[in-house]
Structure formats: C-alpha cells, structure tokens
C-alpha cells in the first residue's frame, strides 16, 4: 500500500537516464550535445481511476540505435508521473519547476558531430493500478524516428500523446573533434567579384598560382572572407604542392557574415590569433569557436545550415603549422609577400577588413614593398595603401610579378574580402556549334542533367533566393577552332566584336543577350589566351530546379564556328550577410535531471502539486558504458525493441 501512496503524489517519479558519451564521428561541425527532453503530454481519454480520481502513468522508454545509421550508444529507463484529467485544459499538461517556469525532463543525452544520427525513441506506457490488487493496464506502445533537432509527438494508441523536444547544443570545447572540410562537387564553382564586372573563378585562381608560382615557396596561407569562399580551397590544394593552408569564412555553398561598418567576425577572430603568433590551424579553430555567426555562436544549433556561417579549413603538407611571417617549423623566412584583394568594395565592411589585415601584416614586420593591395578602383579610391584596382587583370599581373621573387624560402599570404558568387557548371561540355540555328546546350555530367535539361542543386537555389541584392547571370566560355584566324594579333580580341553581340542564349524559352565578355587566360596552366566568357544576365525568377538552355546566332554574315568549353549558371554577386539579418536565436529549454526539482502543473494553472518529498526508483535498465553493448544490439521488430538475432 505504501508504494501506491507514493505513486499517487502528483509529481514526476522517475529515474534519470544518465548522460551517454558517444564517439565523435564526422562528417560535420559543430560538435553537439544531443538532449532528448520530455516536455509535456496530452491525455486524449479520461483514464482517472475511481479510487483517487487521478491517473498514474508508467513509461518504459528505450533509445534504440539503428544499425548503419546511429552513432548513439542507446539507453533504457523508466519513469512515472501523475495527473488529474479533470484539471487539464484539453487534456494537455506541461512540467514546471518550483518557481513556475516550464521545464523539460532530460530522458537522454549524448555527444557527436552534426548532423544528428538517426535513432528510434520507443515508449511502452502503462496505467498503474494498486499493487497486489489490480494489474497495471497497458496503454500501448509506439516509437518515433529521431533524425534532427526539433519538436516531436509520440502518440500511443488513441489514449495519449507525448511531447518530445530534441536539442543540439554546440560544444565549443570539442570543436576540434568535428573539423570537416566540405569538398565542392565537380559541377559547382565559386568565384570572386571584381571591379570591372568580370569574375575570378576558383579554378582560374588555382591555375594562376600554379603557372606563376607552382611549388616555389616555403609556405602559402590563404584567407577568404567572401560568401561561398570554401569553394576556392579545394582547387588550390589540388593544384599546388608543399605547405599550404586555406581558411575560409564559409562553405562552398554557404554564406559569410559581416557588419555594415566594421571588421567581419571571422576575419576579426583570425587576425586576433595570427597577431598572437597562432598557427594557421589554431587561428582557424579559435575563429570557428568564437565567430558569433558561426556554428558555435548560439546556444542551440540551427539546422538551417546555410544561414549560419560555416568556416572551413584545409591544409597540404605542414601548412597548418605556418604562422604569419615564418616557416612551418617556426624559423624566419627569407622574405614574405602578401596580396590583399577586394574587388568591388562597395561597403565600409570590406575596407575595414582590408585595413585590419594590412595592420596585422605591418605589425609582423611586412613592409609596403611586401604588400600588394588590389581593391575597388585602385589609387583613385582615395586609400593611400591601395596599389591597384580590384580586377582580374591586376591580380594576374600581381601573381605573375611574384614569380620572379618567390623561392623555397619565401612565404605568400593571400587575403580576399569581397562579394562571392556560386556557380552550377558543366565543364565537360565541349559542344561544337557549326551553324547559327537555335540548338540545345545540354550538360554532359549526369549529376546535373535530366534529358536535355539542367537540374540545379538545391543549395544553389537556396543561395540564389536568399537575397535580392545579387544579379544572376549565365556565362558561356567559347573557343574558336585554330583554323579560323579571327583574332587581332595586337589585342588578342576578335576582329569583329559583332560576332559576340549577335549571340542569343535562350533560357527556359526567354531570349538573353550578351552584356559583356572577358578574355580567359587561366582555363589551364599555360599562360595564353584560352577563350572568351560571354556574360548573359538572367532574371532570378527564370531560374528553376529544371531548366532548358539553347543558343543561336542572329547574323550569318558574322558567324564563325566555335566550341562551347564551359557553361556556368551563377547566383551573381552575393554580399556578406550583415547583422541586420541576424538569424533568430534559439535557446536551450530549462531542464532538470533531478526529479526533486520538478512539479507538474496543467495548462489551466488551476492545480499545483506539492514538492516531491520521496523518490520511488522503479526498475531501471542501466545505460552506463558497461552495459551499452546490449542496448546497441536492439532493433525495432513490430514496433517494439527486441534483441537483434
């Protein structure tokens, strides 16, 4: 009879599922603590018994790992709670602490790298009757699949529903466990915007560095602040050898953040650590942890990954050990060189970034002769530290000029702050256009082709639609067959620009016309003219998941057969997201692990229980490490956990 009396106390009576530590397992930052909380319930049916008018509920729960998907170790436990149906509003009840604050009870905790690996949460629910007189009445059993943070509802037959909240709490101190570089797919590119409307693609920058500098260096450190900056990294480390490090503020398909009038958060954090002689990898780790717009900047990780800033790091050789002005072993380099690039610096943020990085270099002993600043319109921009304009040609010249200065004792530091572009591309096209009639342009890669249509990546479409400040375009890179003498030998341009003016590109049936074209010298690592990129502006609302592209030439008199080497569908210039677009801050729900801290109160607030004075610890399935192998062998069979055979 004593047991019945204790159970009737209208509070949670439960045993705690202890915190469980799983092995950290990439693929992604941040490192997270997963918290599974029981936050409330709905009694669909009046189950109050006749003895005391209250309902006592017993729940056996099991966290069931899914073979091949789960990184969790699993857990199993039991808890009780009591309520009076007549006091509930719509049958709904929540849990509160002694101060009247809504709280959740932690069923389960574990740590891993994002994303949340899938597992099942199984409830077996009984209504408790008087021990020794009546057996417990089964309410039912069911499970739900947990695959992300958020709110879930677990329904048991037609009698009860249970509210479950899953939180992902970033663990800053464990960030090194979840470092991961997102390699950019072959069908995507990132690019840097320039002052004169041309673009520097990731493969072009890598080819410039390869053709003019190659392996002739002590180490090279690259820091990219712009949106989609992570896409620059994979081409650089693939093309170059030696000690190289690349730090970027964003993933290849993600955004970077800034302030309207001061240094961007990622750049600020990196500079602070480089000034204190941190290595490239330590500077990155510290910046990732302390970046207020990064994955560790909020108390809860928002699964909308593209909205947050996701810094990236990758290195080659001993590049991660490099510090500014020194070799990877800490010794002095013979000399050092820096290129700072800010193409279309139309916001004070970009100038603040350049000046902060310039000041860092000066504090490390770099002279003005060691630093080349290419930004906006160049010297006419009114900044005395600027050496030239932020154009592709100026960058080409600066890298070429370094070729005579670089050797195995030289360090190159390269910093970019600017707008960034994200492109969906087909580089394997090599389509020959022999006549001017309208004809389809179809990608060669299966990943982006459906029939004769272009299928665009969802992350690309998300990036395209996030801001109205970008101006999308389609770039067609053309090359003329060698037997056609169409070039002016002195300018390297077509003898008659009218040829390009008469090209029409059709996108989903709408005609598009050339805005301008640019020479391309770095499609490969030979320093010669490779072709021309013709830019066609396109309205954003024309770009869909699946798209048709066609090309024609309007004037037979000026037509010359040509090859289409490359097609890029671009978001256009996307600026750093600024603090006025700051994502909503999600907060951890107050929670308890000690039942004595809990009270239960229905939504009507008409009933408040007395504090729990005693604990009745029910039978508990231990979830400590010594017994977790048993839990790991569970699987769901007909909706219930069973030992897998």
């Amino acid at each position: 009879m004593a047991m019945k009396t204790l159970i009737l106390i209208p509070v949670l009576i439960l045993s705690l599922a202890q915190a469980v530590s799983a092995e950290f397992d990439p693929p992604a930052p941040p490192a997270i603590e997963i918290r599974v909380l029981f936050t409330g319930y709905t009694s669909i049916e009046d189950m109050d018994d006749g003895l005391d008018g209250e309902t006592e509920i017993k729940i056996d729960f099991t966290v069931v790992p899914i073979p091949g998907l789960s990184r969790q170790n699993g857990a199993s436990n039991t808890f009780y709670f009591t309520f009076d149906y007549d006091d509930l509003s719509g049958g709904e009840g929540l849990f509160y602490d002694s101060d009247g604050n809504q709280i959740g009870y932690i069923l389960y905790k574990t740590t891993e790298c994002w994303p949340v690996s899938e597992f099942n949460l199984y409830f077996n629910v009984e209504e408790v009757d008087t021990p020794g007189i009546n057996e417990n009445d089964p309410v039912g059993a069911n499970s739900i699949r947990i695959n992300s943070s958020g709110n879930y509802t677990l329904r048991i037959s037609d009698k009860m529903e249970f509210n479950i909240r899953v939180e992902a709490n970033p663990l800053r101190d464990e960030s090194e466990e979840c470092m991961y570089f997102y390699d950019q797919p072959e069908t995507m590119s990132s690019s840097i915007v320039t002052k004169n409307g041309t673009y520097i693609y990731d493969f072009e920058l890598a080819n410039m560095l390869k053709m003019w500098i190659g392996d002739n260096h002590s180490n090279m450190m690259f820091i990219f602040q712009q949106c989609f900056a992570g896409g620059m990294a994979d081409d650089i480390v693939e093309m170059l050898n030696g000690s190289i490090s690349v730090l970027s503020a964003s993933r290849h398909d993600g955004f970077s953040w800034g302030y309207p009038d001061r240094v961007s958060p990622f750049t600020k954090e990196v500079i602070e650590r480089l000034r204190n002689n941190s290595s490239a990898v330590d500077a990155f780790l510290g910046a990732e942890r302390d970046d207020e717009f990064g994955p560790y900047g909020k108390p809860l990780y928002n699964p909308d990954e593209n909205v947050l800033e996701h810094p990236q790091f990758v290195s080659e050789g001993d590049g991660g050990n490099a510090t500014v002005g020194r070799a990877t072993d800490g010794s002095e380099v013979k000399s050092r060189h820096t290129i700072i690039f800010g193409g279309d610096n139309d916001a004070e943020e970009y100038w603040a970034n350049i000046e902060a990085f310039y000041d860092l270099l000066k504090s490390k002993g770099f002279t003005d002769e060691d630093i080349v600043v290419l930004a906006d319109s160049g010297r006419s921009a009114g900044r005395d530290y600027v050496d030239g304009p932020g154009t592709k040609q100026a960058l080409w010249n600066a890298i070429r000029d370094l070729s005579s200065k670089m050797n195995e004792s030289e360090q190159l530091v390269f910093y970019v702050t600017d707008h960034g572009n994200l492109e969906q591309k087909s580089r394997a096209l090599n389509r020959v256009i022999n006549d001017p009639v309208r004809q389809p342009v179809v990608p060669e890669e299966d990943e982006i082709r459906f029939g004769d249509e272009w299928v665009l990546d969802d992350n690309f479409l998300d990036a395209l639609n996030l801001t109205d400040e970008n101006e999308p375009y389609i770039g067609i890179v053309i090359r003329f067959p060698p037997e056609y003498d169409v070039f002016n030998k002195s300018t390297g341009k077509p003898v008659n620009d009218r040829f390009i003016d008469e090209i029409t590109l059709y996108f989903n049936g709408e005609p598009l016309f050339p805005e301008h074209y640019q020479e391309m010298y770095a499609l490969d690592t030979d320093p010669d003219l490779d072709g021309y990129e013709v830019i066609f502006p396109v309205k954003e609302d024309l770009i869909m998941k699946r798209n048709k592209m066609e090309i024609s030439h309007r004037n037979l008199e000026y037509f010359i057969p040509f090859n289409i080497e490359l097609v890029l569908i671009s978001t256009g210039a996307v600026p750093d997201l600024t603090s006025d677009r700051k994502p909503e801050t999600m907060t951890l729900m107050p929670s308890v692990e000690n039942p004595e801290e809990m009270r239960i109160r229905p939504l009507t607030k008409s009933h408040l229980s007395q504090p729990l004075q005693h604990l009745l610890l029910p039978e508990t399935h231990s979830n400590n490490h010594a017994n977790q192998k048993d839990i790991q062998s569970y699987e769901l069979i007909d909706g219930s956990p069973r030992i897998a055979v």
Side-chain angles (χ1 to χ4, degrees):
M1 195 67 179
M3 182 179 293
K4 180 66 173 178
T5 301
L6 286 174
I7 293 177
L8 285 175
I9 294 175
V11 292
L12 282 174
I13 301 179
L14 34 75
S15 64
L16 175 64
Q18 300 170 2
V20 179
S21 295
E23 291 296 322
F24 285 108
D25 182 17
I32 54 174
E33 177 187 63
I34 299 170
R35 307 190 334 151
V36 181
L37 298 97
F38 176 39
T39 63
Y41 60 91
T42 299
S43 180
I44 302 171
E45 177 182 301
D46 184 354
M47 293 183 289
D48 293 352
D49 60 43
L51 292 178
D52 52 28
E54 293 187 328
T55 302
E56 300 80 40
I57 295 296
K58 173 190 175 188
I59 300 177
D60 295 311
F61 75 88
T62 306
V63 173
V64 187
I66 302 171
L69 294 177
S70 297
R71 296 191 294 268
Q72 284 82 15
N73 291 324
S76 183
N77 221 321
T78 299
F79 64 89
Y80 297 77
F81 69 93
T82 298
F83 64 89
D84 188 333
Y85 183 84
D86 295 331
D87 287 337
L88 300 180
S89 174
E92 296 180 89
L94 303 174
F95 302 120
Y96 296 82
D97 64 15
S98 57
D99 295 324
N101 301 310
Q102 185 186 348
I103 57 176
Y105 178 72
I106 298 176
L107 300 177
Y108 174 69
K109 293 195 302 185
T110 190
T111 53
E112 63 178 345
C113 298
W114 183 265
V116 176
S117 62
E118 296 186 34
F119 60 93
N120 287 313
L121 179 64
Y122 171 81
F123 272 26
N124 182 34
V125 183
E126 296 179 347
E127 181 188 1
V128 178
D129 279 318
T130 307
I133 300 177
N134 297 314
E135 297 294 327
N136 292 350
D137 296 323
V139 175
N142 200 4
S143 67
I144 52 173
R145 176 72 60 94
I146 305 293
N147 56 19
S148 184
S149 55
N151 296 312
Y152 296 80
T153 299
L154 199 164
R155 187 182 180 97
I156 304 295
S157 65
D158 293 324
K159 296 184 177 181
M160 296 198 75
E161 289 181 348
F162 299 93
N163 302 329
I164 306 298
R165 177 180 171 94
V166 179
E167 297 178 337
N169 175 27
L171 302 174
R172 296 173 70 252
D173 292 341
E174 306 289 353
S175 63
E176 190 170 356
E177 300 286 348
C178 297
M179 282 183 64
Y180 183 78
F181 177 73
Y182 287 85
D183 199 9
Q184 190 171 52
E186 289 295 323
T187 55
M188 300 190 80
S189 273
S190 299
S191 61
I192 303 167
V193 176
T194 70
K195 182 60 179 177
N196 61 354
T198 60
Y199 309 98
I200 303 167
Y201 296 105
D202 45 12
F203 53 85
E204 287 186 290
L205 177 58
N207 284 335
M208 288 182 199
L209 293 163
K210 180 66 174 180
M211 71 174 73
W212 295 120
I213 297 177
D215 306 334
N216 199 24
H217 60 88
S218 169
N219 67 83
M220 291 195 278
M221 183 186 300
F222 298 86
I223 302 168
F224 297 102
Q225 170 60 47
Q226 77 275 14
C227 291
F228 319 119
M232 311 301 291
D234 51 349
D235 293 85
I236 288 173
V237 297
E238 180 180 334
M239 189 62 64
L240 303 176
N241 298 316
S243 296
I244 298 164
S245 59
V246 184
L247 299 78
S248 69
S250 57
R251 281 173 33 169
H252 68 83
D253 56 359
F255 301 94
S256 56
W257 281 80
Y259 303 106
D261 55 358
R262 52 196 168 104
V263 179
S264 302
F266 178 76
T267 289
K268 171 181 173 292
E269 299 296 342
V270 169
I271 287 175
E272 180 180 312
R273 287 159 178 82
L274 293 179
R275 192 183 299 276
N276 293 326
N277 299 317
S278 291
S279 66
V281 65
D282 288 339
F284 169 80
L285 285 169
E288 183 187 42
R289 285 194 299 266
D290 294 341
D291 181 349
E292 71 165 297
F293 296 109
Y296 297 95
K298 304 292 181 292
L300 281 182
Y301 182 66
N302 185 348
D304 187 1
E305 296 180 63
N306 272 342
V307 174
L308 291 177
E309 192 166 67
H310 282 77
Q312 298 279 272
F313 177 85
V314 65
S315 64
E316 184 83 11
D318 294 327
N321 297 323
T323 59
V324 172
R326 292 185 174 273
T328 57
D329 61 3
S331 63
E332 291 281 350
V333 290
K334 182 177 180 181
S335 62
R336 45 273 181 104
H337 307 281
T338 296
I339 296 175
I340 300 176
F341 189 89
D344 188 15
N345 275 21
D346 59 356
E348 189 59 34
E349 169 202 352
Y350 304 127
W351 290 114
N353 289 341
I354 288 176
E355 290 172 9
F357 204 83
Y358 180 85
D359 289 344
L360 164 69
L361 298 171
K362 297 292 280 189
S363 73
K364 294 294 182 182
F366 285 64
T367 67
D368 287 339
E369 289 72 28
D370 298 329
I371 306 170
V372 176
V373 179
L374 306 174
D376 205 66
S377 56
R379 293 186 180 276
S380 63
R383 317 269 175 157
D384 57 9
Y385 52 80
V386 176
D387 299 293
T391 63
K392 181 189 287 189
Q393 186 63 55
L395 180 61
W396 169 278
N397 293 340
I399 296 175
R400 182 191 60 194
D401 292 346
L402 279 180
S403 64
S404 62
K405 303 174 184 178
M406 294 293 294
N407 59 56
E408 61 184 16
S409 299
E410 311 282 334
Q411 181 187 54
L412 173 63
V413 180
F414 194 102
Y415 176 76
V416 175
T417 177
D418 200 355
H419 302 69
N421 295 349
L422 179 65
E423 286 85 29
Q424 192 91 67
K425 72 179 179 185
S426 175
R427 196 163 183 184
L429 211 81
N430 197 25
R431 174 71 188 274
V432 179
I433 306 297
N434 282 317
D435 57 64
V437 300
R438 183 170 171 174
Q439 51 195 292
V441 179
V442 182
E444 288 297 310
E445 296 85 352
D446 291 339
E447 306 95 300
I448 57 173
R449 184 182 66 204
F450 183 82
D452 61 353
E453 295 179 326
W454 292 71
V455 181
L456 301 184
D457 180 83
D458 288 337
N459 287 339
F460 173 87
L461 294 171
D462 290 342
L464 179 73
N465 296 320
L466 185 66
T467 174
D468 295 328
E469 299 175 45
N470 57 312
E471 297 179 353
Y473 69 87
I474 299 173
I476 305 289
V477 178
I478 63 175
R479 191 197 302 259
F480 296 99
E483 62 266 25
Y484 286 89
D485 186 17
V486 298
F487 299 110
N488 182 312
K489 301 300 183 183
S490 62
T491 65
K493 296 182 179 180
V495 172
N496 196 330
D497 289 350
R498 187 72 178 272
F499 167 81
I500 289 178
D501 292 340
E502 297 289 348
I503 297 175
T504 301
L505 190 70
Y506 295 89
F507 194 74
N508 293 325
E510 291 291 322
L512 309 178
F513 303 102
E515 180 179 72
H516 62 270
Y517 68 89
Q518 60 175 322
E519 298 83 20
M520 300 193 77
Y521 293 90
L523 282 180
D524 54 35
T525 56
D526 294 324
D528 56 3
L529 180 65
D530 297 318
Y532 300 88
E533 182 183 23
V534 187
I535 302 297
F536 298 84
V538 58
K539 293 180 180 179
E540 188 171 304
D541 57 9
L542 271 181
I543 303 176
M544 299 180 288
K545 177 69 175 177
R546 287 164 53 177
N547 307 271
K548 282 194 174 184
M549 191 183 303
E550 301 163 288
I551 196 168
S552 71
H553 197 276
R554 300 191 302 275
N555 195 319
L556 183 60
E557 179 182 354
Y558 298 106
F559 177 76
I560 303 168
F562 61 94
N563 288 359
I564 300 178
E565 299 289 326
L566 171 66
V567 176
L568 304 110
I569 303 174
S570 179
T571 60
V574 176
D576 287 358
L577 303 182
T578 51
S579 53
D580 57 344
R581 303 186 194 184
K582 194 171 182 177
E584 179 182 355
T585 297
M586 301 171 64
T587 58
L588 287 167
M589 184 175 189
S591 58
V592 296
E593 300 181 14
N594 182 352
E596 292 189 1
E597 301 174 15
M598 299 193 69
R599 297 170 181 251
I600 181 170
R601 189 167 68 189
L603 287 177
T604 61
K605 300 184 180 180
S606 62
H607 170 75
L608 179 63
S609 74
Q610 297 300 313
L612 178 65
Q613 303 298 328
H614 306 282
L615 275 179
L616 174 66
L617 296 180
E619 180 181 356
T620 300
H621 305 288
S622 173
N623 64 343
N624 58 31
H625 287 291
N627 294 304
Q628 281 181 5
K629 289 185 178 179
D630 292 336
I631 300 298
Q632 287 178 310
S633 64
Y634 276 132
E635 63 180 15
L636 285 181
I637 300 175
D638 298 327
S640 301
R642 298 287 187 271
I643 299 296
V645 179

